[in-house]
Amino acid sequence: MKVGVVGASGYVGGETLRLLVNHPDVEIAMVTSRQHVGEYLHRVQPSLKGFTDLMFSELDYDKLTDQCDLVFTAVPHGTATEIVKALYDRGIKVIDLSADYRLHNQDAYDKWYGWEHPHPDYLAKSVFGVPELHREAIKKAQLVSCPGCMAVTSMLALAPLIRNDIIDTEHIVVDSKIGSSGAGSGSGTAHAMRAGVIRPYKPAKHRHTGEIEQELSEIAGHKIRVSMSPHAVDVVRGILCTNHTFLKKDIEEKELWKLYRQAYGEERFIRLIRDKKGLYKFPDPKFLVGSNFCDIGFDLDEDNNRLIALSASDNLMKGAAGSAIQNMNVMCGFDEMDGLRNTPLTPV
């Protein structure tokens, strides 16, 4: 199958290309970038040297339509709206890695992103790209919108708890720690600004909250409110979400194990992590770098009736490009692990 990537000069676009060049069922037909037209991909994405001789092209909808069966859009938030619509109208399958079609309600864009969506009729055409939650819809979709990195990491830990109605859905607190690559390839990721840092940013009203509330409310059948506070930490890749929830009833550890196994026992990209020995007792993003896994664990605080659901992922993989490839595999009938059979890199 021939695919294109629109906007492949950043971290997410580069990671998408890294995965595509090794996918057994895919040929990269076209890659676009506004700034780097005519340059070899490896001049901007050095890890691709020796894997492809493609050059960056201008964004040409007719050429994309002629040359590609599916297109990934990896452009900044707010700039994908017109590109996605144009491709969708031409009948191409689209996987969007921006936030522009993640939310179903047009009013949510004003609340969480501060702008009015120009094509609200297309929001209902988009499927939220978490196969563990929406696999059957993704199979039939023409447009899939990949989730935000902190959103998917936290919601996978919380979804089984809400589905089984064991936690107080009025009081959910998501404490997320994320590496510098989650901020994109801009100057804010410079080493001098990130080294030694545990920096809160947007401690209230972070935009990923909208996705989490949307998806968990759909599971619950009623409005869910989530309090989320992210922190920048001194790593390059990785997310750890400490999800604080409060139990509606007493529950034993073995019941929680059963609940999570029922939810994810057949899922190949979710690993349940809770060990009594060693350093790796709970999910740890250090042991997920380069992989598409989301690790989930938990602990119980009986004194305060609190269940702490812990989840970790690589923000450029399960939080972005890895999810995009997984969604492509589901949409196109490939094995879901194709192009993603990578064990995590360690040590890093």
Side-chain angles (χ1 to χ4, degrees), residues 64-305:
L64 278 169
T65 303
D66 290 341
Q67 297 180 23
C68 301
D69 304 300
L70 181 148
V71 174
F72 297 89
T73 50
V75 295
H77 304 316
T79 62
T81 52
E82 301 301 329
I83 297 170
V84 169
K85 180 182 181 297
L87 293 170
Y88 187 95
D89 289 347
R90 286 166 168 78
I92 297 178
K93 290 184 176 182
V94 183
I95 297 176
D96 182 28
L97 288 117
S98 81
D100 290 9
Y101 288 88
R102 288 175 187 164
L103 302 176
H104 300 157
N105 185 334
Q106 68 180 97
D107 294 336
Y109 279 94
D110 182 51
K111 176 179 180 179
W112 296 109
Y113 288 89
W115 46 266
E116 183 178 344
H117 202 288
H119 305 296
D121 292 347
Y122 283 71
L123 297 177
K125 303 178 190 295
S126 177
V127 175
F128 195 72
V130 182
E132 293 82 4
L133 301 180
H134 301 299
R135 185 171 282 108
E136 293 306 311
I138 292 168
K139 286 180 182 179
K140 304 170 188 174
Q142 184 188 339
L143 170 60
V144 170
S145 183
C146 291
C149 52
M150 287 181 283
V152 67
T153 306
S154 60
M155 72 176 61
L156 285 172
L158 292 166
L161 308 179
I162 289 173
R163 189 177 289 122
N164 288 274
D165 194 27
I166 66 167
I167 60 171
D168 173 7
T169 56
E170 295 294 317
H171 300 92
I172 299 172
V173 179
V174 177
D175 182 334
S176 293
K177 309 291 193 297
I178 186 168
S180 58
S181 60
S185 54
S187 61
T189 63
H191 179 73
M193 296 293 102
R194 295 291 301 227
V197 156
I198 305 175
R199 178 188 299 135
Y201 67 97
K202 202 68 177 172
K205 300 180 182 178
H206 188 279
R207 58 196 183 189
H208 284 187
T209 309
E211 298 169 48
I212 301 169
E213 291 185 348
Q214 170 183 282
E215 294 301 303
L216 297 183
S217 296
E218 185 175 312
I219 291 169
H222 59 83
K223 178 65 177 175
I224 300 285
R225 293 203 178 277
V226 172
S227 301
M228 177 180 172
S229 296
H231 301 74
V233 296
D234 187 11
V235 298
V236 174
R237 296 165 72 128
I239 295 173
L240 176 65
C241 291
T242 305
N243 305 286
H244 301 273
T245 70
F246 298 88
L247 292 164
K248 295 168 71 173
K249 58 183 179 181
D250 291 340
I251 191 167
E252 294 184 5
E253 180 181 317
K254 64 181 180 181
E255 293 178 80
L256 284 168
W257 272 114
K258 182 178 179 181
L259 181 152
Y260 275 113
R261 285 179 176 137
Q262 286 176 338
Y264 297 130
E266 301 300 317
E267 295 293 345
R268 290 185 284 177
F269 289 115
I270 297 203
R271 305 187 301 185
L272 302 180
I273 306 294
R274 194 169 189 270
D275 203 341
K276 301 291 186 183
K277 299 179 180 179
L279 293 174
Y280 197 26
K281 293 183 176 71
F282 297 104
D284 185 334
K286 187 175 181 67
F287 302 106
L288 285 158
V289 173
S291 79
N292 195 50
F293 295 110
C294 178
D295 285 359
I296 296 173
F298 63 87
D299 208 2
L300 286 166
D301 174 10
E302 292 89 351
D303 289 345
N304 296 292
N305 210 34

Side-chain angles (χ1 to χ4, degrees), residues 35-61:
Q35 307 103 307
H36 303 291
V37 175
E39 290 280 7
Y40 285 107
L41 300 189
H42 64 74
R43 290 227 172 103
V44 178
Q45 305 289 359
S47 62
L48 299 178
K49 190 171 181 66
F51 288 90
T52 176
D53 292 323
L54 273 175
M55 293 181 175
F56 286 105
S57 303
E58 290 183 309
L59 175 57
D60 185 315
Y61 293 118

